[in-house]
Amino acid sequence: MVKRIKVRTLLLGGFITLLFVVLFARIFTLQIVQGNWWHEQGVKKWVKESVIPAERGTISDRNGDALAINAPAYTVVVSPKVIQANGLEDMIVDGLHQTLGKDVNELKEIINVKTKDPTTGIEGYAKSREVRNEGLKIDENKKAQIDKLNEQLKEALKGKKKGQETGLDTIKESKRYYPKGSLASHVLGYTDRQGNPVAGLEIYMNKELKGTPGYLKYESDTAGDKLPNSDGFYNPPVNGKNIKLTIDDTIQYYIEEAMKEAYDKYQPISMTVIAADPKTMEILGMANLPTFDPNTYWNYDPQNTFNYAVKATYEPGSTFKIVTLAAAVQEKLFKPGDTYKSGTIIVPGTKTPLHDINRSGWGNISYLKGVKKSSNVAFVKLGEMLGKERLLKYIADFGFGKKTGIDLPGEITTVIRLPGPVETATASYGHGVSVTPIQQLAAISAVANGGKLLKPQIIKEKYDPNTGNLEPYTPDAGHQVISPEAAKETSGYLEQVVADQKDGTGRNAYIDGYRVAGKTGTAVKYGKNKLPDYSKSVVSFIGFAPVNDPKISVIVIMDQPNDPTAGGGRVAAPVFKKIVSQSLQYMGVPKTTTKTESNNKNEKNEAVQAQTRQPAPDMVKKNVKDAEKQLLKSGIAFDTLGNGATVTKQFPAKGTPLNPGQRIYLLTETDKAMDIPDLTGASLRDALDVLTLIKAAVNVSGEGYVTSQKVTNRDGKVIVQLNLKPAYDPNGSDANTDGDGGGPEDTASTEDQKTDDSVSGKSSESSGKSSSGKSNSGKSSSGKSSSGKTNGKNNDH
């Protein structure tokens, strides 16, 4: 008995000893061997870490109107575990299919996803899943529909366990939003659904726009609340910089609307238009068709995002003659009155014949007439006078063969070589050379601004919201290509290309009241057999206005219009005309008048003009946005004064005949609350009437149109000093040059027929737009709306 007790005691003692040994070994393992690992696991439980995203910088136009901003967005999430537990699969699948348009089978797959528990290894329904891509970063309207669906699900759960969740929710995030839709989309580019930049300025300026994320770290209790006296670390985010562009969204709108009209009529493969201020080379507008809406980029062919303005080369044809003409003028080789035999010419030292648009020619004509008729023979002769080396020098000096350096991604260029006499001869009239639209615009702007080639500028300034620092872009100093005198003389000849309504190939770009200079171009494309295909061409027009004080230069390019007889004069020049006439009026550039033979004739002309002038529409009591849209559609420039929602007064009054370029002023607040508008370009009478309406005192210096103003406040009384100058030099220095008489537009043109003005075949790709309204206080304002059109396919530009 005693022996049994001893054995049992021994066994029990041994078991207890063994238990302590095992326990000690386990403690040793946990505390010593695995101590660091368990410590790390514990820290993860009570230390909270999170990344604080930085706000992406905004992009606006030159007037501060938003083009790319950050907007609230919501991502739809589901909990398969909760949904299956509550039997809500069918309701949620049907509801999300109706709301998001997502495929039913894909939704069922998401809601039935199973995962293994990492601790137990047991498989079960997943706790949470995002509904991609249709449910990723949806807008407020979609979110409201999801909330409504949730209410219906909660109603279906009544009677079940109180507080039961539906398994459907949204997570608040932020997304990139483009409030003007497709307006300037090729300039802006876009970000993908994850917020990564893909194209345009979004990717080119990503370093400045994206900012730097912040970081937060702190110790917490089981409820997630910060522990008192615990260590923490906080590094605030650095938000991205805001970028203001040189683009004017009103001019951009004019460009895109004019393009759509021509695009619908001629159905080309693509179109490209760029507008700039020739004195600074600030880009005022840039567009391509087909286009895309960056808010829904996934709905478009990727080719539609291609920016031809900087990424495509093309054979310019006769628009390149501007370089040869400017060079000949600079070298004092161009004698406008000298004559030559037009029609056909044999390149010296070869047997190669080159010919004019009209192969039989126009007989012996002057070189000036040859310029107006876009005679290839005339320019071959000018090229001979210059010689290969000088011609190459001027081509390089005008910026061809190298990138312009514009702040947009993907700019390309091609080297221009003239290996022999034939290539030199054809290059003199734009055949056998390859250029980009932006290079061409920079070259014509050099002629317009007095001979300086400037770097195109798309960014006006950058603003750092973290520090308040404003970084304006320094304008390019440029370099002198030709003298101011040679530039002025060349401009005069190009003006006659437009103003001469009989011989000028650019006469369809003529704008009554404005002096316009320009050049047409028609480049026939090569076919598969490497021979000219006269049913396919690239047509273009390039020019600037007003000649005496250039405010805008524009290039219009259309690749392969559906009319085989169409040329640059008939197809591209009218697009230029519409854009420039609207833009100059919007800018407040006054029209000039020419003196007639007698005072009586003047009086008769004024009487006729008064009868045909557009009357001011009645805007009083209308909603401001509706009034702005109506004026924009009517092509009437306007200023919106104040921040009210309704027009209370207007000037001029309804029914008043509007002078060319005259603005309508819309007043939306009481007189005392009104800001003084910018009256630059207004006549003295109009300026006085507007300032009288807002009860401001006026001092006047000079005569004619307002060139500057200064506002002062003395003892609560607003006083405006107006400085005026005549619209044109009374001595006639600004009077129209020979041939600037306006005549009815003649749709026929010597360059409108499909000929071998030049031949092309350069490859390129595609793009398109829409926009919305704006309203400003005390500055120029325009409401607008449009919708993009896509019709894209691969392009040979």
Side-chain angles (χ1 to χ4, degrees):
M1 187 68 179
V2 173
K3 188 177 180 179
R4 288 180 180 177
I5 292 173
K6 287 182 179 180
V7 171
R8 289 177 181 176
T9 303
L10 184 62
L11 289 172
L12 181 62
F15 176 75
I16 292 171
T17 302
L18 179 62
L19 184 64
F20 271 99
V21 170
V22 171
L23 182 62
F24 179 79
R26 180 62 176 161
I27 292 171
F28 180 82
T29 301
L30 293 175
Q31 294 288 335
I32 306 300
V33 178
Q34 299 177 348
N36 290 336
W37 186 86
W38 283 110
H39 177 74
E40 290 174 4
Q41 298 305 307
V43 169
K44 288 180 181 179
K45 293 288 185 182
W46 70 73
V47 175
K48 300 294 182 183
E49 300 179 8
S50 60
V51 175
I52 307 171
E55 189 83 357
R56 191 170 180 82
T58 62
I59 304 176
S60 64
D61 86 328
R62 66 188 302 117
N63 299 314
D65 292 334
L67 298 176
I69 60 175
N70 304 300
Y74 304 86
T75 294
V76 180
V77 293
V78 293
S79 173
K81 184 175 181 180
V82 175
I83 292 171
Q84 298 298 341
N86 292 327
L88 296 174
E89 178 179 342
D90 291 341
M91 282 188 69
I92 289 179
V93 167
D94 182 62
L96 292 181
H97 172 67
Q98 297 295 330
T99 304
L100 303 177
K102 190 169 183 64
D103 182 73
V104 169
N105 292 328
E106 292 179 9
L107 286 167
K108 287 183 177 181
E109 187 177 333
I110 293 172
I111 290 173
N112 285 280
V113 168
K114 291 185 177 181
T115 59
K116 282 188 178 181
D117 189 303
T119 306
T120 64
I122 299 173
E123 186 176 65
Y125 287 105
K127 291 182 179 180
S128 180
R129 282 291 183 273
E130 290 183 352
V131 181
R132 297 196 174 206
N133 284 318
E134 292 83 353
L136 182 65
K137 295 188 177 182
I138 61 175
D139 58 23
E140 294 277 1
N141 292 333
K142 290 285 185 185
K143 198 258 184 187
Q145 294 177 46
I146 297 296
D147 290 343
K148 186 177 180 180
L149 175 59
N150 240 329
E151 292 300 319
Q152 294 171 356
L153 294 171
K154 288 177 181 178
E155 191 69 26
L157 286 176
K158 278 188 176 179
K160 295 188 177 184
K161 185 178 178 181
K162 188 176 181 181
Q164 189 74 48
E165 294 187 9
T166 64
L168 175 65
D169 202 358
T170 56
I171 300 172
K172 188 173 182 180
E173 297 182 273
S174 177
K175 72 173 181 179
R176 201 63 162 168
Y177 177 62
Y178 304 89
K180 307 286 186 180
S182 61
L183 192 81
S185 58
H186 294 95
V187 173
L188 299 173
Y190 63 96
T191 61
D192 63 19
R193 294 186 179 189
Q194 286 70 43
N196 302 312
V198 177
L201 284 170
E202 290 283 20
I203 194 167
Y204 189 84
M205 301 297 293
N206 186 52
K207 185 177 179 181
E208 287 84 355
L209 287 167
K210 70 178 182 179
T212 305
Y215 181 74
L216 177 63
K217 183 177 180 180
Y218 62 92
E219 295 177 350
S220 66
D221 57 20
T222 55
D225 297 325
K226 185 177 182 298
L227 293 173
N229 302 320
S230 64
D231 294 331
F233 177 77
Y234 171 65
N235 187 27
V238 178
N239 294 327
K241 294 179 181 179
N242 300 331
I243 295 176
K244 180 178 284 190
L245 306 182
T246 59
I247 295 284
D248 187 308
D249 63 358
T250 299
I251 294 176
Q252 182 75 26
Y253 172 79
Y254 291 149
I255 288 171
E256 295 187 16
E257 287 298 292
M259 289 176 71
K260 286 170 190 169
E261 185 178 323
Y263 187 86
D264 291 342
K265 182 177 180 180
Y266 293 104
Q267 293 296 307
I269 293 174
S270 71
M271 278 187 75
T272 298
V273 174
I274 318 173
D277 178 346
K279 295 178 182 176
T280 62
M281 267 313 289
E282 290 187 353
I283 303 300
L284 302 174
M286 178 184 289
N288 301 278
L289 283 177
T291 188
F292 73 104
D293 185 340
N295 293 306
T296 54
Y297 66 88
W298 53 86
N299 291 331
Y300 298 86
D301 188 317
Q303 294 284 72
N304 288 24
T305 66
F306 191 85
N307 188 358
Y308 293 109
V310 297
K311 293 182 177 182
T313 60
Y314 75 108
E315 190 163 86
S318 292
T319 56
F320 197 74
K321 292 174 180 175
I322 291 169
V323 176
T324 308
L325 177 62
V329 171
Q330 175 66 31
E331 298 293 333
K332 303 189 184 305
L333 298 172
F334 185 76
K335 309 296 182 184
D338 286 359
T339 60
Y340 70 99
K341 183 173 175 53
S342 61
T344 304
I345 186 172
I346 303 295
V347 178
T350 75
K351 295 181 180 180
T352 305
L354 300 175
H355 46 78
D356 282 327
I357 295 164
N358 177 6
R359 297 194 182 204
S360 59
W362 305 277
N364 287 317
I365 60 173
S366 70
Y367 276 92
L368 178 56
K369 191 169 185 177
V371 170
K372 291 191 283 187
K373 285 185 173 292
S374 196
S375 166
N376 292 340
V377 173
F379 282 88
V380 170
K381 286 183 170 290
L382 291 176
E384 286 179 25
M385 297 178 197
L386 285 166
K388 174 181 172 179
E389 297 306 319
R390 277 198 294 189
L391 181 60
L392 263 177
K393 174 186 177 297
Y394 280 101
I395 288 173
D397 286 349
F398 270 101
F400 299 103
K402 55 181 177 289
K403 296 178 182 179
T404 65
I406 188 171
D407 291 314
L408 285 172
E411 184 184 10
I412 65 169
T413 189
T414 55
V415 178
I416 295 178
R417 295 185 177 92
L418 307 179
V422 175
E423 290 81 6
T424 302
T426 56
S428 66
Y429 60 82
H431 169 56
V433 293
S434 186
V435 304
T436 63
I438 192 67
Q439 286 174 334
Q440 275 281 87
L441 187 66
I444 190 71
S445 296
V447 174
N449 67 28
K452 271 194 174 183
L453 183 72
L454 304 173
K455 173 187 172 182
Q457 191 167 314
I458 196 80
I459 297 170
K460 195 165 186 68
E461 63 186 34
K462 293 187 290 187
Y463 173 74
D464 189 339
N466 307 286
T467 62
N469 290 337
L470 187 67
E471 305 170 45
Y473 262 49
T474 306
D476 179 46
H479 67 272
Q480 202 75 31
V481 180
I482 55 176
S483 68
E485 295 75 21
K488 185 175 182 180
E489 184 179 343
T490 304
S491 297
Y493 299 139
L494 294 176
E495 180 178 6
Q496 294 190 49
V497 172
V498 176
D500 190 328
Q501 295 294 292
K502 179 184 176 184
D503 293 323
T505 58
R507 58 182 171 273
N508 287 331
Y510 177 82
I511 304 172
D512 186 30
Y514 292 117
R515 296 174 57 190
V516 179
K519 188 72 192 73
T520 55
T522 305
V524 177
K525 297 170 73 172
Y526 285 111
K528 291 182 179 179
N529 55 2
K530 296 186 179 180
L531 293 175
D533 183 349
Y534 292 101
S535 68
K536 300 175 181 178
S537 64
V538 178
V539 300
S540 57
F541 186 89
I542 190 167
F544 57 90
V547 173
N548 51 299
D549 185 17
K551 300 293 184 184
I552 187 171
S553 55
V554 175
I555 183 170
V556 178
I557 304 170
M558 187 182 293
D559 185 4
Q560 208 169 305
N562 58 12
D563 182 356
T565 65
R570 183 146 61 92
V571 174
V575 179
F576 170 93
K577 175 179 180 176
K578 185 170 185 179
I579 293 168
V580 173
S581 58
Q582 288 180 312
S583 298
L584 291 177
Q585 186 173 2
Y586 162 71
M587 291 168 155
V589 179
K591 292 189 175 183
T592 57
T593 56
T594 54
K595 297 178 181 179
T596 52
E597 294 177 0
S598 68
N599 290 334
N600 289 335
K601 191 171 181 180
N602 268 335
E603 290 172 4
K604 289 179 182 178
N605 285 342
E606 288 173 7
V608 171
Q609 288 174 6
Q611 292 175 5
T612 58
R613 279 182 299 192
Q614 184 177 6
D618 186 5
M619 298 286 105
V620 177
K621 296 184 180 179
K622 285 193 174 185
N623 178 276
V624 170
K625 289 186 177 180
D626 292 340
E628 289 176 344
K629 286 181 180 179
Q630 181 179 335
L631 291 173
L632 186 65
K633 287 181 178 179
S634 302
I636 301 173
F638 62 89
D639 277 351
T640 303
L641 309 181
N643 296 309
T646 304
V647 179
T648 57
K649 295 180 183 178
Q650 75 173 67
F651 174 81
K654 67 175 181 178
T656 305
L658 295 173
N659 294 318
Q662 185 174 4
R663 291 172 177 263
I664 286 184
Y665 295 88
L666 306 177
L667 283 70
T668 65
E669 293 180 333
T670 60
D671 304 330
K672 291 182 179 179
M674 206 73 66
D675 291 332
I676 303 298
D678 182 1
L679 296 167
T680 304
S683 68
L684 175 59
R685 179 177 177 179
D686 287 353
L688 291 175
D689 285 340
V690 171
L691 293 173
T692 299
L693 277 176
I694 57 180
K695 298 180 180 178
V698 186
N699 291 328
V700 178
S701 174
E703 296 179 351
Y705 292 84
V706 178
T707 57
S708 63
Q709 67 186 61
K710 183 179 180 181
V711 181
T712 56
N713 196 313
R714 295 180 187 173
D715 301 324
K717 186 176 182 179
V718 176
I719 301 174
V720 182
Q721 172 68 43
L722 298 178
N723 300 312
L724 290 80
K725 287 183 180 179
Y728 60 91
D729 190 335
N731 295 323
S733 61
D734 283 338
N736 292 341
T737 60
D738 181 36
D740 193 358
E745 290 185 16
D746 185 346
T747 56
S749 169
T750 54
E751 190 167 294
D752 285 342
Q753 303 303 314
K754 188 52 56 67
T755 68
D756 54 348
D757 170 19
S758 59
V759 184
S760 80
K762 300 294 175 185
S763 179
S764 190
E765 304 176 31
S766 344
S767 293
K769 330 243 159 298
S770 104
S771 72
S772 60
K774 71 175 182 176
S775 178
N776 299 318
S777 174
K779 68 173 183 176
S780 179
S781 175
S782 304
K784 33 199 174 283
S785 70
S786 72
S787 60
K789 177 179 185 239
T790 52
N791 188 13
K793 58 182 177 180
N794 205 21
N795 180 18
D796 292 320
H797 210 197

